[in-house]
Amino acid sequence: MNIIHVIEASATGTLSMVEMLANQQIKKHHVTVVYSVREETPSHFTQLFDPRISLVYVDMKLSRFLPAIVRLRHVFKQHHDAIIHCHSSVAGFIGRLALFNLPNRCFYTPHCIVFMRQDISPRKRYLFVLLERFANIIRGKYIACSQSEADVIAHYLPHADVHLVENALDIDPIMPYQKQLDSICEPLFNIVTVGGIRPQKDPDSFCNIAQAFMSSPNINFTWVGDGDTQSRLALERSGVVVTGWQSRGEVLKHLAFCDVYLSTSLWEGLPVALMEAQAIGLVLVVRDCAGNRDIVLPEITGKIFTDVYDAIACLQHVISHPKEALVMAKNAQQAVPLRFSIERYVNAIEAIYLQ
């Protein structure tokens, strides 16, 4: 097969999935990755991909909307037999418009579709629904990364062709960082989250939770990532260490040093950082939201909270009951290779391509 991946959100979990999928597919197929660059795009972006993969840069910023469509259309015409796989909202919209009246088959993985956002008004959500319905008329099958996302797509786009393929995780780079969870029973002090400092991750709640533990000097909070300047300053005033953007290896080192992964996210697709934390062996304490609840089984592979006060209570329980927390961490760690294997992911995607 000839496969073209189109990615504008070239960072964080979306990039992880495209990188992993393309590097596996090149073993059997011809693969091209058409990409754009964001501020948080890793400086070594091109080195993440197998050298046999063709990399094509297209500026897909919204300010370059029309030129991006023209450029993508030119690329697609050169590969009339290629399967087009668009990733995330901007590339999904621009890519499908560029395919108008072209013969290529198209697949779209939103990696947390825009309808899941909790920081927009009903009117704005309806506008996004209309835009998505318009793009869907042109072309495409949806590949949702979680059951929550599949349900949302089916709700707003009842005539869409939706398939579910949960995200996967490459365990090999993580193995050197995995904790041995057989005899750890000391109190847990180091609490971490990973991601951009933006409304989706709800840094305000993270601040409030950290402030509740400021009188406990041995309990440390770390935010691995960067983003909104004012929110970053608020986190730092709350005693949170903010690392700035880190390479994947650096992120894994931070996770390995910590004990508890705290997610205050308001919505997610299927968060790769949470899967990585599971694989390393952290205790998961996460907000009850789409994406998070698709990964964590309450009291079996982690704790789920509903608000700040509930989160503080969950953390206090985990800190004071380390043996109980250890059992949840072990359950989560053991589940990862079974549920989130690369082979399962790649085979499921290819099966959808061939339908």
Side-chain angles (χ1 to χ4, degrees):
M1 282 188 286
N2 185 6
I3 303 166
I4 298 178
H5 293 284
V6 184
I7 174 175
E8 180 274 334
S10 50
T12 61
T14 302
L15 174 58
S16 295
M17 288 299 101
V18 176
E19 172 196 345
M20 183 187 64
L21 182 57
N23 285 339
Q24 291 296 314
Q25 290 174 332
I26 194 64
K27 297 175 182 179
K28 296 195 301 181
H29 308 292
H30 181 273
V31 179
T32 299
V33 174
V34 181
Y35 69 98
S36 190
V37 173
R38 291 183 172 187
E39 180 183 354
E40 62 268 30
T41 298
S43 58
H44 62 298
F45 175 89
T46 58
Q47 300 170 29
L48 298 174
F49 294 92
D50 188 297
R52 294 171 291 177
I53 295 173
S54 300
L55 299 177
V56 178
Y57 172 75
V58 174
D59 187 348
M60 287 181 264
K61 296 185 184 73
L62 290 178
S63 60
R64 300 282 296 168
F65 179 78
L66 291 178
I69 291 177
V70 173
R71 179 74 177 106
L72 282 175
R73 191 170 177 83
H74 176 72
V75 173
F76 297 159
K77 283 183 176 180
Q78 293 178 319
H79 301 270
H80 60 86
D81 63 332
I83 286 171
I84 311 301
H85 192 160
C86 301
H87 299 266
S88 203
S89 57
V90 174
F93 188 71
I94 294 176
R96 283 177 290 173
L97 292 185
L99 279 167
F100 177 71
N101 210 30
L102 294 182
N104 309 74
R105 298 177 66 220
C106 179
F107 302 86
Y108 171 38
T109 301
H111 300 282
C112 191
I113 198 160
V114 67
F115 316 146
M116 301 175 78
R117 288 177 57 176
Q118 301 297 306
D119 63 334
I120 57 177
S121 66
R123 179 177 295 181
K124 192 170 185 179
R125 181 175 288 106
Y126 182 64
L127 173 61
F128 284 133
V129 170
L130 292 179
L131 290 172
E132 194 62 36
R133 287 177 178 172
F134 173 71
N136 190 46
I137 290 172
I138 297 174
R139 191 68 56 81
K141 293 185 178 182
Y142 291 83
I143 303 178
C145 66
S146 69
Q147 187 62 57
S148 290
E149 183 177 51
D151 292 343
V152 168
I153 295 171
H155 174 74
Y156 285 104
L157 305 171
H159 301 296
D161 188 356
V162 185
H163 301 261
L164 170 62
V165 181
E166 288 189 327
N167 284 342
L169 189 66
D170 186 356
I171 297 294
D172 289 344
I174 293 174
M175 290 181 68
Y177 303 97
Q178 285 185 314
K179 297 174 182 288
Q180 299 301 314
L181 299 174
D182 295 324
S183 59
I184 299 175
C185 61
E186 65 269 16
L188 308 176
F189 294 127
N190 298 305
I191 299 164
V192 66
T193 200
V194 177
I197 303 173
R198 56 182 186 269
Q200 178 194 358
K201 305 295 184 180
D202 193 7
D204 290 343
S205 287
F206 201 90
C207 284
N208 292 334
I209 295 166
Q211 287 172 4
F213 291 90
M214 288 186 77
S215 61
S216 303
N218 293 326
I219 298 177
N220 308 301
F221 286 79
T222 301
W223 189 300
V224 180
D226 210 336
D228 179 73
T229 301
Q230 294 303 315
S231 294
R232 175 173 180 152
L233 290 173
L235 286 165
E236 291 172 337
R237 286 194 297 268
S238 300
V240 178
V241 174
V242 180
T243 67
W245 294 114
Q246 305 277 287
S247 69
R248 190 184 183 211
E250 292 168 332
V251 170
L252 295 177
K253 288 179 183 177
H254 280 289
L255 290 176
F257 176 76
C258 293
D259 307 299
V260 177
Y261 189 97
L262 172 64
S263 170
T264 54
S265 293
L266 296 170
W267 71 93
E268 293 279 3
L270 198 74
V272 174
L274 197 54
M275 294 158 59
E276 290 176 335
Q278 273 190 306
I280 288 174
L282 277 71
V283 182
L284 307 179
V285 178
V286 306
R287 175 178 256 136
D288 185 9
C289 73
N292 283 352
R293 71 172 72 98
D294 292 88
I295 291 181
V296 176
L297 297 175
E299 305 303 321
I300 298 174
T301 61
K303 284 186 169 290
I304 295 181
F305 62 86
T306 55
D307 56 32
V308 167
Y309 300 105
D310 192 17
I312 293 168
C314 286
L315 287 174
Q316 289 172 333
H317 187 90
V318 164
I319 291 167
S320 59
H321 297 81
K323 291 185 179 180
E324 182 181 314
L326 173 65
V327 173
M328 291 188 292
K330 288 180 67 174
N331 290 340
Q333 189 182 59
Q334 292 168 0
V336 170
L338 300 174
R339 182 178 175 186
F340 301 121
S341 75
I342 294 178
E343 183 179 15
R344 183 271 313 168
Y345 183 75
V346 174
N347 289 343
I349 294 287
E350 187 164 321
I352 295 172
Y353 287 170
L354 294 173
Q355 289 180 4

